[in-house]
Amino acid sequence: DTAWSCVGSVSKPSSSSSTVTVRLPLLDLFTGQPRAGITVRTCSKLDVNCLSPLGEDAVTDSKGEATLTLLAPNFEGVFQLVASADVAASKVYLHPTSLVDGVTLPAVRTIGAGALRAAVEAGGAIYDPSRGTLFVDARDCLGASAPGVTWTLPAKAPNTVTWHLRDGAPSTTATDTDASGLGGFLLVPPGAQTVSPSHGGQALPERKVYAVADVVTYVFVSPTP
């Protein structure tokens, strides 16, 4: 299976530049339409609340793309999406690959605050602003959205909800991703969290993130180490 043949043997592309300019596309989770006019801030991974942004803010254009200049080749920061009418306050952990100048990063499927609350209620829970939300985007060796991926969150609370997207809506009964590769966790305790994904019973590299109360955290999982 070419889509999963790279598991355990992924090599990262190299870059000789000290900085790179990349594009980060933001799309609506349900419609796939571009999110224009969203402010994107670059932050250190350790700066949980982005009190000291790295560089200047960027704003997504009509294509939903923010143009950002980052340190290369192994940028270790995260992006903060400033809350607006369309997008809930969010953090984005980059797809784990070395950065190459001019690259368009994998699109982030974002959600608004109202839609997030509705998704929580659809899962039979009550939205709690003291908890965080994790959105997980599964990709295969070809960088495509990956079906058949599941995940666990060892530090979740008893009422944390695990979900996978099914037919364009969150499902709490589905056990793995559909063709969208999307899912995640609702009502996540704030603090350090580790997403542990797998495909066909084979473990994929874990992703370490930091959940923040009343903030959506986006993370990609893939065979990339």
Side-chain angles (χ1 to χ4, degrees):
D1 185 351
T2 304
W4 296 100
S5 61
C6 71
V7 175
S9 60
V10 175
S11 60
K12 294 184 179 182
S14 60
S15 174
S16 59
S17 304
S18 59
T19 61
V20 294
T21 299
V22 302
R23 291 181 296 277
L24 175 69
L26 304 181
L27 306 176
D28 178 83
L29 172 65
F30 300 110
T31 68
Q33 294 300 306
R35 292 290 204 186
I38 305 301
T39 299
V40 180
R41 210 160 271 161
T42 306
C43 321
S44 165
K45 220 181 232 188
L46 300 179
D47 188 0
V48 176
N49 296 307
C50 201
L51 300 178
S52 301
L54 305 175
E56 297 182 357
D57 292 353
V59 178
T60 55
D61 59 19
S62 60
K63 296 180 180 180
E65 295 183 352
T67 301
L68 303 144
T69 300
L70 310 173
L71 294 175
N74 296 308
F75 174 72
E76 291 292 338
V78 298
F79 298 130
Q80 181 189 71
L81 310 185
V82 177
S84 71
D86 293 326
V87 173
S90 309
K91 294 173 62 180
V92 178
Y93 283 77
L94 280 180
H95 186 268
T97 184
S98 293
L99 299 171
V100 179
D101 193 48
V103 72
T104 297
L105 300 171
V108 179
R109 300 293 290 264
T110 63
I111 191 170
L116 174 60
R117 288 175 181 267
V120 173
E121 292 171 2
I126 298 175
Y127 185 80
D128 182 352
S130 71
R131 297 288 187 88
T133 302
L134 294 185
F135 271 44
V136 186
D137 186 331
R139 302 291 176 112
D140 61 23
C141 294
L142 304 177
S145 298
V149 177
T150 190
W151 36 66
T152 60
L153 194 72
K156 68 181 183 180
N159 65 338
T160 296
V161 177
T162 303
W163 64 278
H164 299 83
L165 203 65
R166 275 291 185 280
D167 299 321
S171 169
T172 57
T173 58
T175 57
D176 58 9
T177 57
D178 62 9
S180 72
L182 299 173
F185 303 92
L186 308 173
L187 303 175
V188 177
Q193 294 284 352
T194 300
V195 180
S196 301
S198 62
H199 176 266
Q202 185 171 20
L204 301 176
E206 295 180 336
R207 302 294 180 225
K208 296 186 182 299
V209 299
Y210 198 95
V212 178
D214 208 23
V215 169
V216 179
T217 299
Y218 297 92
V219 58
F220 292 88
V221 297
S222 75
T224 307

